[in-house]
């Protein structure tokens, strides 16, 4: 009797308590979704986190990795789309309302020429922005004019100018752009508001008609070379002063290679060479103005000269056509495209760019603003920038200090 075990109590639990792990199949399925990242994936995501400045965590890294890949996909798609649709002239520039009938289909685009006219390489130089001045990129304006010429929705173009002129190739680029518009049988005129001298006049004279705001100056058909200094018998250099003149040794290969060396006097052949260079550019400028304004070359050289003129004198000399506000110029271009009863709209260009250009452009502008506060960097930038212009022929009113003041 004592060997008989008492019956075990009956439990209502569906399964007995157990400390054993889940079935192997479930365990394998669970591991499938939680395998550790490979070293390569962890390194890549960690690097991305460092570049973006995001605290390292798997969740945030996965999110930003997805966004990064998504943006790269958009960029690649946009590149293929752009290459397969080269006839679309509205991809890079768009225009916003400025004047006239908003609902009109007679669109006229206004393109600005503001500040010194520089080449594309100079305009892309941050030094120009450091100076805190506006500049006109001649190559970019040429591209805008070409796009307007090829865009069937654009009926005419107006250049709005306030510039002292600038570098000759950049000024010539704008006149080349105007040729595209005229060759497309579209009217193009200019409105000068303030200054339309020298290289800026080169741009204005490339149009069919010139209107100037009251108080503006224009013309100034001439070419200038930046001052090339010559320092003789230097006895002080910065914080160092000497009892005897300081001697500089310049090494170069090729006759006249070191032309413009400020520590030796320029030879007569070098002076003759620079004068020939300037006269060639001047003749090109004068001949172009003569052809566009139907004024004899001799009159431009001997009578008009390289002076700036007010509106009254410029009209008498046949260098501009009319004095008037920008609204007067808008009505003029409207009539030239054949619009009746003011049925036209003036739209001003805006650079649309792309997401990445806007993103990195904002970062660059932030850096430029920071550099502007540093007067030492600003001064050094001005010196280097102006030194690069001393041996370049300029079509600018007022001389090199217009760029470097």
């Amino acid at each position: 009797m004592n060997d008989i075990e008492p019956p075990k109590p009956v439990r209502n639990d569906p399964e007995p308590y157990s400390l054993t792990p889940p079935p192997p199949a479930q365990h394998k399925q669970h591991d499938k979704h939680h395998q550790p990242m490979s070293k390569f994936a962890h390194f890549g995501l960690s690097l991305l986190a460092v570049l973006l400045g995001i605290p390292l965590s798997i969740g945030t890294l996965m999110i930003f990795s997805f966004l990064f890949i998504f943006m790269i996909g958009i960029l690649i798609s946009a590149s293929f789309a752009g290459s397969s649709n080269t006839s679309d002239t509205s991809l890079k520039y768009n225009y916003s309302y400025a004047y006239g009938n908003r609902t009109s289909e007679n669109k006229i685009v206004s393109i600005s020429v503001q500040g010194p006219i520089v080449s594309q390489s100079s305009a892309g130089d941050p030094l120009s922005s450091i100076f805190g001045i506006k500049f006109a990129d001649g190559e970019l304006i040429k591209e805008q004019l070409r796009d307007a010429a090829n865009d069937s929705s654009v009926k005419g173009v107006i250049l709005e100018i306030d510039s002292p002129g600038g570098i000759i190739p950049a000024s010539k680029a704008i006149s080349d752009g105007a040729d595209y518009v005229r060759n497309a049988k579209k009217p193009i005129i200019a409105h000068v508001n303030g200054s339309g001298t020298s290289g800026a006049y080169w741009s204005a004279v490339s149009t069919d008609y010139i209107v100037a705001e009251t108080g503006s100056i224009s013309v100034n058909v001439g070419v200038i070379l930046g001052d090339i200094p010559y320092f003789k018998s230097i006895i002080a250099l910065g914080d160092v002063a000497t009892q005897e003149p300081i001697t500089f040794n310049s090494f170069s290969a090729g006759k006249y290679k070191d032309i413009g060396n400020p520590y030796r006097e320029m030879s007569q052949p070098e002076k003759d060479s620079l004068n020939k260079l300037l006269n060639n550019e001047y003749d090109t400028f004068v001949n172009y103005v003569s052809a566009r304004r139907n004024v004899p070359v001799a009159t431009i050289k001997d009578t008009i000269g390289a002076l700036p003129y007010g509106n009254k004198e410029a009209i008498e000399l046949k260098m501009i056509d009319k004095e008037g506000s920008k609204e007067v110029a808008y009505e003029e271009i409207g009539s030239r495209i054949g619009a009746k009863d003011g049925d036209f709209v003036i739209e001003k260009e805006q650079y649309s760019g792309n997401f990445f250009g806007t993103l990195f452009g904002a970062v660059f502008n932030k850096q430029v603003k920071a550099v502007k506060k540093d007067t030492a960097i600003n001064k050094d930038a001005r010196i280097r920038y102006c030194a690069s212009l001393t041996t370049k022929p300029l079509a600018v009113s007022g001389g090199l200090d217009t760029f470097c003041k």
Side-chain angles (χ1 to χ4, degrees), residues 227-297:
D227 295 331
I228 300 177
Y230 167 50
F231 305 110
K232 183 178 181 180
S233 301
I234 298 175
I235 61 173
L237 183 64
D239 296 331
V240 178
T242 62
Q243 293 180 338
E244 298 293 332
I246 298 174
T247 300
F248 294 87
N249 296 313
S250 176
F251 300 92
S252 62
K255 195 174 182 180
Y256 311 130
K257 179 62 178 178
D258 66 335
I259 184 172
N261 184 343
Y263 306 116
R264 71 166 178 82
E265 190 171 4
M266 190 175 295
S267 66
Q268 189 58 47
E270 290 173 325
K271 294 177 182 179
D272 293 341
S273 176
L274 291 180
N275 279 321
K276 183 177 180 180
L277 170 65
L278 283 182
N279 285 323
N280 288 339
E281 300 295 348
Y282 175 60
D283 287 342
T284 300
F285 191 0
V286 170
N287 290 333
Y288 185 75
V289 172
S290 174
R292 294 295 306 155
R293 298 301 302 182
N294 195 26
V295 175
V297 168

Side-chain angles (χ1 to χ4, degrees), residues 92-95 140 143-144 348-354 357-358:
K92 194 168 185 179
Y93 303 102
N94 59 62
Y95 300 85
L140 180 61
E143 184 179 316
Q144 291 172 297
K348 291 191 175 183
E349 98 284 356
Q350 292 181 334
Y351 181 71
S352 57
N354 55 57
T358 303

Side-chain angles (χ1 to χ4, degrees), residues 2-52:
N2 294 333
D3 295 335
I4 299 175
E5 295 182 359
K8 296 181 180 181
V10 178
R11 298 179 61 92
N12 294 324
D13 298 335
E15 294 181 0
Y17 292 111
S18 174
L19 297 177
T20 58
Q26 296 181 5
H27 181 70
K28 290 181 179 178
Q29 185 177 6
H30 181 76
D31 287 346
K32 182 179 180 180
H33 295 285
H34 291 81
Q35 290 180 352
M37 285 192 297
S38 67
K39 292 182 179 180
F40 178 79
H42 191 275
F43 172 78
L45 294 178
S46 299
L47 179 61
L48 181 61
V50 171
L51 294 175
L52 296 176

Side-chain angles (χ1 to χ4, degrees), residues 84-105:
S84 62
N85 191 16
T86 55
S87 62
D88 188 350
T89 62
S90 62
L91 292 177
K92 194 168 185 179
Y93 303 102
N94 59 62
Y95 300 85
S96 61
Y97 172 82
Y99 181 86
N101 180 5
R102 290 179 180 270
T103 61
S104 176
E105 294 183 356

